[in-house]
Amino acid sequence: MTTWIGETFTSDAGWNHLETLVDIGNRMAGSDGERHAAEATRDALAEVGARDARLESFDIQGWTRGSSAVHAGDTTQDSIALPRSPAGEVTGELVDLGYGLPEDFERADIEGKVVMAASNVPDYYDRFIHRREKYYYAVEGGAAAFVFRNHVEGCLPPTGSVGTEESPIGDVPAVGVSKEVGSRLSRRFDGEEVTVEVDADAPEATSYNVHADLGPDTDEAVLLTSHVDAHDIAEGAGDNGAGTAIVVEVARALAAREEELDTRVHCLVYGAEEVGLVGSSHDAAERDHDEIKAIVNNDGVGRGRTLKFYTHGFDDLDSAAEAVADRFEHPAGTVPRLGPHSDHWPYVQQGVPGYHVMSETGTEGRGWGHTFADTLDKLEVRNLREQAILLTELVVELADDDTEIARREPEEIAAQLEDEDLAAGMKIIGDWPY
C-alpha cells in the first residue's frame, strides 16, 4: 500500500496536465481550446495506463464573446457579458436588489428595469441561490437586463452562464460587474436610467466528452468524473483544471492497483459543463443508470487542503468517505444536502449514488472562480497530490464487491429538494426533471 502512496505524492502527472490545460488559454464550451483540452486529456489518460481512451462528440449551442458595457450618466462602467446572454442594447431604470433573494424580487417592481443582484446570500439565509435562479427571477418579473455583482473584493467581474436546456440563449442581456463597480452603480445611479450593451454571437458548435477505463471489464462501473471546459476569461485552473488533473492523477494510481479493482472504473471528463451541464446531460441520457455503482465527480478540488464531499442523502457514500478519511487520519467533510449544480446532477436527480467532491476554502462562494483570477498560482501541488491519494483509496473502496451502495428513488430526491427549499429555484430555471 505504501508504494502507491509514495509514488502518488511524488508524481507530476496530474500537475503537468493541469499546466497543459491552463496554457491552452480559452477553453470555452465549443471552442477550439476546449477541443484541444479534451484531446490532451484523452492522451494523458492513455499515458498513465487507462485503456480505450477516446473522445465522444456532441452538438451544442455555442457562444462567442464580443464586447459589453454598462453606460450610466456620462460614464461607462467595466463589465463582462454572462455566457449565453443574448446580444442587445437596452435602457432602463437601475434597481439594486441587494442579495437578490426571492422575496426581494417579489416586493420590487422591476418591469422594464435593469436589475442588479449580488453573487452571494446573507449569512442568515439557509441556502445558496444560484446565479441562474436570480437571472430568471429577473426575467419572470419583466426586467430589461440583469447585472450580476460580485461580492468578492478586487475589481473582478464574475462570469457564469444564463439560458436553459430548452432555450440555451437567455431572454434578456446579462453582464457581470465587480463588487466595486456594483457599489458605484448603486451609490450613484440607483433609480436612474442606465444602458446595458452586449455584443455576442451564438453559432452552432461541437463539444466533447473524454472516456477511458481501468480495472475489469464489468458492465457495472464507478464513474470518476470532472469537466474540462472553463470560462473564456481566465485559465480555469481551479474551475476546473484541477478536477481534471485529479482524474488523471487518480487514474495513474489506479492503473498501479488494477488487481484490487472488482468493478470497472470509467474515467469520464465532460465538455460544456459551464453552460448548463450539457456534456453530463448528454451522457446521462445515453447511459444505463443501473450500471452505475457510484459517481465521484471532482469539481472544486485542489483550491483548499481539506476535501468536502456532498453526499446527496446517500448514507453509504457518507460512510465510505468518512472511512477513508479515518483510515488516513486526514480531515474531510461530508455534507448530506443536495447540490444540483455540477456534473453529478443529471444522474443523482434520478437516484444514482453520486458525490460532488470539492475542497474547503474558508471563503464564501466561488472565491476566485468564474473570474479573471482563476489562475494556476492559486493552487498548490501538495493539495492535488494529497487529495489524489484519498480519492484513489475512495474509488478502490467503492469498486470493491463488498461495498454496497443503496440507490434512492427519484421521488425521494424530489422530496428532499422541496425540503431544502431548492425546488422553486430549479423550476424557474427549467431544471426541474420530475
Side-chain angles (χ1 to χ4, degrees), residues 2 22 62 77 108 111 119 205 228 248 291 295 303:
T2 55
V22 301
Q77 304 294 327
E111 179 77 32
S119 57
V228 76
V248 169
E291 295 181 352
I295 301 164
R303 296 184 292 190

Side-chain angles (χ1 to χ4, degrees), residues 39 57 80 178 292:
E39 292 169 344
S57 64
I80 54 175
S178 68
I292 304 173

Side-chain angles (χ1 to χ4, degrees), residues 16 61 66 73 82 96 132 136 149 171 176 178-179 191 236 243-244 276 278 287 290 305 332 375 389 398 406 415 418:
N16 287 345
Q61 175 64 68
L82 300 188
D96 180 10
R132 287 201 300 145
Y136 277 102
R149 169 186 177 179
D171 295 81
S178 68
K179 179 179 181 180
T244 298
V278 182
R287 188 174 298 278
D290 290 337
R305 191 175 186 185
T375 51
I389 290 169
L398 297 173
E418 296 280 4

Side-chain angles (χ1 to χ4, degrees), residues 105-121:
F105 284 93
E106 288 173 4
R107 58 175 170 252
D109 175 14
I110 60 173
E111 179 77 32
K113 298 177 183 178
V114 175
V115 173
M116 183 165 66
S119 57
N120 62 338
V121 297

